[in-house]
Amino acid sequence: MSGGADLHSSGADVRVSHSICDNTNNANENYRNGFDSNAKKFKIFIGYDPREDLAYEVCCYSLLQRSSIPIEIFPIKQCELREKGVYWRERGKLESTEFSFTRFLTPYLANYEGWAMFVDCDFLYLRDINELVDLIDEKYAIMCVQHDYTPKETTKMDGAVQTVYPRKNWSSMVLYNCGHPKNLVLTPEVVNKETGAFLHRFQWLDDNEIGEIPFVWNFLVGHNRVVEGNPSTFPKAIHYTLGGPWFEQWKDCEFGDLWLKELEEYKKEAEKKVDICMP
């Protein structure tokens, strides 16, 4: 059993201070100069895996740089959840990342209040997250891109097994209506014991409780396509689901140049912060 109530009582205890994404309570320059400092912040939980630390950093940076609303970013780190007794299930052979199941703790970690987003770390945001928040519809328990996606590859990332199942990638970026009665079922006990099918297919919900988001907010590299002259197909958030340039074998992937450009900007900003902190 878990002692998860201790974490639930303060939600944000899962945060880790180690990066340019620290102090997101103070947030990005875009809203620091034009928004009420007491404004409620939109919570974003990013799946974290030590093998993809750099992907997490760049994802976080891309969100902060473009957001016109106050946001808080929290890495979901499995090791910390285990230390706090919130997560205890054994890792299965088909789990390609450490957040394969911990992602479903998002409503719990948000104290079952308001709306919050979970997103995999292998995303690059090209547009203001406020555009996505504006799509929220209170009648839904969750909202996501409803991909019809069957990968042809047998492996992804750094050799992880590629699995195929209904609603694949739906759970990679989800807007959660955390206080919705149906989402109260997502307790640590349920997340630790339920099957992958139950969780990744959102089987605690009826289909009409799942809202749809345009695919450009979870644009799958290698699957989705940009149609020239059709702005509705231009990606707003790129998902390097098979692997991104932070892996050597994926450094030349489609849209990899955009991620590498963002990485360089992130590094420059990180260096500035180091200089400021130096005595």
Side-chain angles (χ1 to χ4, degrees):
M1 282 291 287
S2 158
D6 292 336
L7 179 59
H8 177 231
S9 65
S10 57
D13 285 353
V14 295
R15 279 186 300 178
V16 177
S17 296
H18 75 292
S19 71
I20 198 171
C21 299
D22 291 354
N23 303 318
T24 54
N25 289 328
N26 296 328
N28 52 313
E29 293 290 347
N30 288 345
Y31 80 77
R32 229 183 321 192
N33 296 326
F35 283 79
D36 180 357
S37 61
N38 295 318
K40 191 170 184 179
K41 302 172 182 67
F42 182 67
K43 290 183 172 62
I44 300 173
F45 295 85
I46 301 179
Y48 183 86
D49 190 300
R51 298 171 304 159
E52 299 187 84
D53 177 77
L54 198 55
Y56 164 79
E57 295 287 351
V58 173
C59 177
C60 182
Y61 179 77
S62 71
L63 282 161
L64 288 168
Q65 286 301 107
R66 294 167 178 81
S67 181
S68 64
I69 60 172
I71 60 177
E72 278 186 294
I73 297 176
F74 306 98
I76 296 184
K77 291 198 168 188
Q78 187 182 125
C79 62
E80 295 188 354
L81 295 173
R82 288 188 182 280
E83 288 173 3
K84 294 180 180 293
V86 175
Y87 190 74
W88 59 88
R89 74 185 293 160
E90 293 184 10
R91 183 165 180 170
K93 294 180 180 179
L94 296 180
E95 292 179 44
S96 60
T97 67
E98 289 196 359
F99 48 88
S100 293
F101 287 103
T102 56
R103 69 185 68 217
F104 299 105
L105 291 168
T106 294
Y108 171 84
L109 296 173
N111 295 315
Y112 300 110
E113 296 175 352
W115 284 80
M117 183 174 80
F118 170 83
V119 63
D120 287 2
C121 64
D122 54 354
F123 271 67
L124 175 68
Y125 280 83
L126 304 179
R127 297 293 290 268
D128 184 350
I129 195 66
N130 190 39
E131 295 180 31
L132 180 58
V133 173
D134 280 345
L135 299 178
I136 286 176
D137 189 328
E138 295 289 342
K139 72 181 180 183
Y140 295 117
I142 67 167
M143 300 182 71
C144 65
V145 175
Q146 299 181 13
H147 289 293
D148 181 10
Y149 174 59
T150 303
K152 299 180 178 67
E153 299 81 7
T154 57
T155 61
K156 60 178 181 177
M157 295 188 296
D158 56 347
V161 175
Q162 177 68 277
T163 55
V164 179
Y165 52 86
R167 297 184 172 179
K168 186 171 178 64
N169 268 310
W170 287 29
S171 63
S172 59
M173 191 198 76
V174 181
L175 292 172
Y176 282 94
N177 186 354
C178 300
H180 191 283
K182 286 288 191 74
N183 288 331
L184 300 182
V185 75
L186 293 178
T187 62
E189 288 73 20
V190 167
V191 172
N192 277 281
K193 76 177 182 180
E194 278 294 352
T195 64
F198 177 86
L199 294 167
H200 286 280
R201 300 180 199 175
F202 309 129
Q203 290 181 350
W204 71 92
L205 300 173
D206 296 325
D207 287 353
N208 63 5
E209 293 167 327
I210 305 173
E212 187 166 7
I213 294 170
F215 78 93
V216 291
W217 285 105
N218 189 345
F219 190 100
L220 300 178
V221 174
H223 173 68
N224 293 126
R225 292 285 180 262
V226 174
V227 178
E228 188 175 353
N230 184 354
S232 68
T233 66
F234 296 173
K236 296 185 178 184
I238 296 174
H239 184 187
Y240 301 88
T241 182
L242 297 175
W246 54 95
F247 292 124
E248 179 64 24
Q249 62 270 41
W250 293 100
K251 64 181 181 180
D252 297 321
C253 68
E254 186 181 14
F255 299 109
D257 57 329
L258 295 181
W259 190 91
L260 291 170
K261 182 176 181 292
E262 197 81 10
L263 172 64
E264 290 305 310
E265 293 176 3
Y266 156 75
K267 286 180 176 178
K268 290 177 183 177
E269 190 66 25
E271 288 171 0
K272 288 180 185 178
K273 286 183 176 287
V274 170
D275 289 342
I276 291 172
C277 293
M278 290 292 285

